[in-house]
Amino acid sequence: LVTRAIRGSRNNLVGGVGSLASLPTNHNPFLGEPGGSISNGNLAVGGAIPRRNSGYVRNVNQGPGTLYNWQATKTTVKERFAFMFNNEILADVHFKVGRGGAEQRIPAHKFVLSVGSAVFDAMFNSTLATQEDEITLPDVEPAAFLALLKFLYSDEVQIGP
């Protein structure tokens, strides 16, 4: 029902005054962004969701050039989670792994890690949970940590070279 309503609304805009053909690919007319509802910078008028630094729709913690509607290209939840592996989109924690020249900063998502591991669940959700946005693990090899994360995000593991 929602999909049908959205399609209908978008079809009404195509070729009309607020034509989608002339808008950037990341435009969403339902959020009161340019080309849609009236906007006064930070507050969209007309019941739309207010956005900071309004201009074009971006993922909340991303800058310009972020993929909009990337979810539509993934047909399963597994594909969407696999896409988020080692991806800044919606990342709410970062791990700094390795040391010296082999140090690497890796984005992650507390929800995914907590669902896949009791250790991460305790780390993020217990009474003694860390409040840090960046966690340093100097004794962990980046490749090994990425392999662990890949398993948690995609349920796939590669053992060996």
Side-chain angles (χ1 to χ4, degrees):
L1 181 64
V2 172
T3 305
R4 205 173 323 142
I6 290 171
R7 276 194 207 122
S9 296
R10 284 184 177 250
N11 289 341
N12 291 339
L13 288 172
V14 174
V17 174
S19 175
L20 290 177
S22 64
L23 296 174
T25 57
N26 62 350
H27 173 75
N28 186 334
F30 303 105
L31 296 178
E33 298 293 346
S37 300
I38 301 168
S39 176
N40 69 354
N42 292 335
L43 180 64
V45 180
I49 299 169
R51 297 264 176 164
R52 279 183 296 160
N53 301 321
S54 193
Y56 300 116
V57 176
R58 297 189 232 4
N59 288 318
V60 175
N61 62 347
Q62 297 298 297
T66 299
L67 296 175
Y68 172 72
N69 200 18
W70 60 267
Q71 301 88 335
T73 64
K74 314 297 177 215
T75 58
T76 66
V77 172
K78 182 179 178 181
E79 286 177 342
R80 289 188 288 273
F81 273 63
F83 177 79
M84 292 180 73
F85 163 71
N86 202 16
N87 195 322
E88 288 288 342
I89 292 177
L90 301 175
D92 55 358
V93 66
H94 288 81
F95 291 90
K96 206 163 159 186
V97 296
R99 60 174 80 217
E103 194 174 82
Q104 191 172 346
R105 188 170 187 261
I106 301 170
H109 308 82
K110 292 178 183 178
F111 171 77
V112 175
L113 302 182
S114 297
V115 167
S117 163
V119 173
F120 283 123
D121 188 29
M123 180 184 223
F124 299 127
N125 303 306
S126 73
T127 55
L128 299 174
T130 182
Q131 300 302 311
E132 299 296 319
D133 290 332
E134 185 168 278
I135 298 163
T136 303
L137 303 171
D139 297 330
V140 176
E141 296 278 334
F145 192 72
L146 285 167
L148 169 67
L149 291 182
K150 183 168 182 158
F151 173 72
L152 293 175
Y153 279 81
S154 67
D155 209 26
E156 297 173 6
V157 65
Q158 180 181 353
I159 300 173

